[in-house]
């Protein structure tokens, strides 16, 4: 079983910064992509940023130039959020994609439980 632990959420004023971390635990052999999604009340879950094992990244248009995703190691990814806006408010949920556990041939995706980010104007 893979568990994702997110940390770093909180409340900030517009223009401020936060750093989120997501760490996967379990007998993980390989983990391809780590991604951050966010979900605001009443809205659908949307992809914020992702980073693959080869270091390639993707960002939502709304966060380009403000957010930076990085991969510390195979199981740990950070999301640095700068120049935060009230519309960045939401639950930020980590996802690990294409995870292969030791001793198994199948590949699965896993979700974390999320960490809340509140940006006040």
């Amino acid at each position: 079983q893979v568990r994702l632990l997110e940390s770093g959420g909180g409340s900030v004023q517009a223009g401020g910064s936060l750093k989120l971390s997501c760490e996967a635990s379990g007998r993980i052999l390989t983990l391809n992509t780590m991604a951050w999604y966010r979900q605001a009340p009443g809205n659908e879950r949307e992809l914020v940023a992702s980073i693959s094992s080869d270091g390639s990244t993707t960002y939502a248009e709304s966060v380009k130039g403000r957010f930076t995703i990085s991969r510390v190691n195979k199981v740990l990814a950070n999301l640095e959020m700068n120049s935060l806006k009230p519309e960045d408010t939401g639950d930020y949920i980590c996802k690990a994609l294409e995870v292969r556990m030791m001793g198994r041939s199948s590949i699965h995706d896993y979700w974390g439980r999320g960490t809340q980010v509140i940006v006040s104007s």
Side-chain angles (χ1 to χ4, degrees), residues 44-97:
E44 293 186 357
R45 187 172 294 186
E46 61 172 345
L47 175 66
V48 175
S50 67
I51 184 165
S52 299
S53 55
D54 64 0
S56 58
T57 58
T58 60
Y59 293 94
E61 283 297 323
S62 61
V63 307
K64 281 183 179 178
R66 299 188 298 122
F67 290 14
T68 302
I69 191 168
S70 60
R71 193 87 171 254
V72 178
N73 54 39
K74 180 174 69 176
V75 297
L76 177 61
N78 295 324
L79 181 68
E80 295 191 45
M81 307 186 294
N82 299 312
S83 303
L84 282 161
K85 304 176 181 180
E87 51 263 43
D88 294 319
T89 294
D91 288 326
Y92 282 70
I93 307 137
C94 181
K95 185 177 183 181
L97 295 93

Side-chain angles (χ1 to χ4, degrees), residues 1 23 28-29 40 42 46 62 65 67 78 87 111 113-114 121:
Q1 184 68 20
E23 185 168 22
I28 297 169
L29 180 63
E46 61 172 345
S62 61
F67 290 14
N78 295 324
E87 51 263 43
W111 288 96
R113 298 184 68 176
S121 58

